[in-house]
Amino acid sequence: MNNAVDTSLFAPSGPGGGNEAILEVRDLCVGFPSDDGILHAVDNVSFDLRANETMGIVGESGSGKSVTSMAILGLLPKYAKITGSVKFRGEEILGVRDKDLTAIRGAKIAMVFQDALTSLNPVFRVGDQIAEAVSVHRKCDRKELRERSLELLELVGIPNPVARLEQFPHEYSGGMRQRAMIAMAIANEPDILIADEPTTALDVTIQAQVLDVLERIRDRTSSSIMLITHDLGVVAGVADRVLVMYAGRQVEMATVDDLFYRGLHPYAQGLLASLPRLDRRGDSGQLSRIHGQPPSLVFLPPGCAFNPRCPHAQPGVCDQNVPLLREVERDHFSSCIRAEELVAKGSES
Ligand SMILES: Nc1ncnc2c1ncn2[C@@H]1O[C@H](COP(=O)(O)OP(=O)(O)OP(=O)(O)O)[C@@H](O)[C@H]1O
Ligand SMILES: [Mg+2]
């Protein structure tokens, strides 16, 4: 597809930047062959993850969030067609041999998987599983392993960690298991932690605690976090910047404040409008919804993939070329070709 982004736009000198990019993703495309043709799961995605920031990746189910992170970590199946570039601290990691990636995966870039609650092995004690994660990348004796495991359980806020080390996963609550998974992921103080829907299966109070843990980790270990979620409410509290994906493409990228107060892309605006807000209670009692369904990733509509659902779509304009993500305002990117026009309209009304 021809949706290339002007990558010079991501130079880390812009506002909110000044921070070196430790991960540079450029023109990332992932296609999966299917009976009907290629399924374009990720289509020309480019972004920087800056040092010590939390970047939220948001989009509805099937928008390509997990595939993006799996591509970064080289975890996609062989039949996936992957192109583009992913640089970690300036070094290309896309397409490098598994053997060479092992040193980076886990140690430098760690991931908490979407199905974390089932990722713990039920037959081993949690303490042993954490110790195992520590020992994969560094040599230490039993005493050091135990101390490090304790320290990690404390860091993720598990109460009474000495006793908890001896327990099995089924003795942990859902939130505690999720925290144990985070403890394992950060065992080697990775530079980047990718957390894929780390709070989805949890109730609201526990969600908040897990998000607190992520924030604490970022502050204590100076790592960067990529937080993947379909829930804009989750990124509002913890992310510095947000990338919004739709049908495998990026449609908006901005600081969290810019996105929430001046969302530029109609899809992002639709997502924001469907967030429950205390100050709007009593309005109509009804949340705004984005009408229609996301498109098939095999048969994408021509032009902007959102145009069939977009309240601002103009026939003959939005259904022509795939729009490029571009900097509409400082450090605020949108792929909507009508972005400026819609901003002007918005400020008139
Ligand atoms: N291994 C695979 N083989 C074929 N298609 C895949 C594979 N993995 C993902 N896909 C497809 O790629 C698209 C993007 O999937 P992805 O898992 O990235 O979505 P997501 O944004 O993470 O959604 P969710 O919020 O539901 O987790 C989907 O259409 C999915 O069916
Ligand atoms: Mg996913």
Side-chain angles (χ1 to χ4, degrees):
M1 304 241 149
N2 56 349
N3 189 19
V5 174
D6 177 3
T7 48
S8 62
L9 295 174
F10 298 103
S13 54
N19 255 346
E20 135 211 38
I22 62 168
L23 192 76
E24 293 162 77
V25 177
R26 294 291 178 272
D27 305 326
L28 181 66
C29 295
V30 180
F32 295 109
S34 79
D35 289 346
D36 300 322
I38 300 282
L39 183 151
H40 300 281
V42 177
D43 192 3
N44 272 301
V45 165
S46 298
F47 64 90
D48 282 347
L49 182 66
R50 299 169 186 163
N52 202 213
E53 78 168 344
T54 300
M55 174 136 180
I57 300 194
V58 185
E60 63 201 307
S61 186
S63 56
K65 307 180 299 292
S66 296
V67 171
T68 300
S69 59
M70 304 282 260
I72 291 169
L73 280 174
L75 293 173
L76 288 172
K78 284 222 159 52
Y79 59 83
K81 305 259 173 283
I82 309 168
T83 57
S85 160
V86 177
K87 286 187 177 159
F88 171 69
R89 294 199 183 285
E91 244 180 79
E92 185 61 52
I93 58 170
L94 200 66
V96 307
R97 285 175 311 179
D98 228 31
K99 190 164 96 334
D100 300 326
L101 250 192
T102 314
I104 291 175
R105 205 190 286 149
K108 306 280 186 205
I109 310 179
M111 181 150 176
V112 181
F113 289 96
Q114 190 161 6
D115 57 353
L117 299 189
T118 56
S119 301
L120 283 167
N121 191 327
V123 301
F124 294 112
R125 292 176 204 280
V126 174
D128 291 340
Q129 296 189 53
I130 295 177
E132 166 83 26
V134 174
S135 62
V136 171
H137 292 282
R138 72 162 98 170
K139 281 206 172 76
C140 36
D141 62 31
R142 281 181 66 91
K143 187 164 164 279
E144 284 167 332
L145 273 181
R146 188 183 155 80
E147 274 166 15
R148 178 71 183 143
S149 305
L150 259 182
E151 195 180 273
L152 285 165
L153 278 192
E154 269 166 18
L155 183 62
V156 296
I158 291 191
N160 198 3
V162 176
R164 290 287 180 186
L165 273 184
E166 308 302 324
Q167 290 185 332
F168 291 91
H170 72 264
E171 296 172 88
Y172 275 46
S173 68
M176 273 193 250
R177 270 182 257 168
Q178 186 60 285
R179 283 188 237 188
M181 288 303 301
I182 295 173
M184 287 165 70
I186 60 167
N188 294 290
E189 296 185 6
D191 297 341
I192 299 173
L193 177 66
I194 303 179
D196 193 350
E197 304 276 7
T199 59
T200 303
L202 308 173
D203 72 47
V204 175
T205 324
I206 310 294
Q207 266 189 18
Q209 290 171 5
V210 169
L211 293 173
D212 274 352
V213 166
L214 289 179
E215 212 161 15
R216 194 161 3 124
I217 288 165
R218 190 198 55 182
D219 294 343
R220 283 256 213 105
T221 63
S222 308
S223 53
S224 306
I225 296 179
M226 227 168 100
L227 177 64
I228 297 176
T229 174
H230 61 271
D231 185 348
L232 261 186
V234 164
V235 296
V238 288
D240 300 301
R241 287 189 308 137
V242 186
L243 165 63
V244 182
M245 290 186 68
Y246 183 76
R249 296 175 184 161
Q250 50 194 159
V251 294
E252 183 143 354
M253 185 162 67
T255 63
V256 84
D257 284 353
D258 281 348
L259 181 77
F260 275 79
Y261 293 110
R262 296 173 60 78
L264 291 175
H265 196 284
Y267 174 64
Q269 289 169 349
L271 282 182
L272 289 164
S274 55
L275 272 182
R277 274 177 44 175
L278 289 176
D279 57 339
R280 280 214 221 112
R281 200 186 281 168
D283 257 10
S284 62
Q286 188 104 47
L287 299 177
S288 318
R289 289 255 174 81
I290 304 170
H291 296 286
Q293 296 292 324
S296 149
L297 299 178
V298 180
F299 304 106
L300 283 164
C304 170
F306 187 58
N307 97 77
R309 300 172 79 184
C310 181
H312 305 291
Q314 266 186 351
V317 177
C318 300
D319 51 5
Q320 298 299 304
N321 300 311
V322 177
L324 305 181
L325 190 79
R326 62 205 168 79
E327 193 166 22
V328 178
E329 296 174 348
R330 290 190 82 183
D331 211 24
H332 193 158
F333 298 79
S334 169
S335 70
C336 177
I337 50 175
R338 301 193 62 207
E340 287 86 352
E341 209 185 314
L342 296 176
V343 169
K345 238 189 195 170
S347 53
E348 266 167 31
S349 55

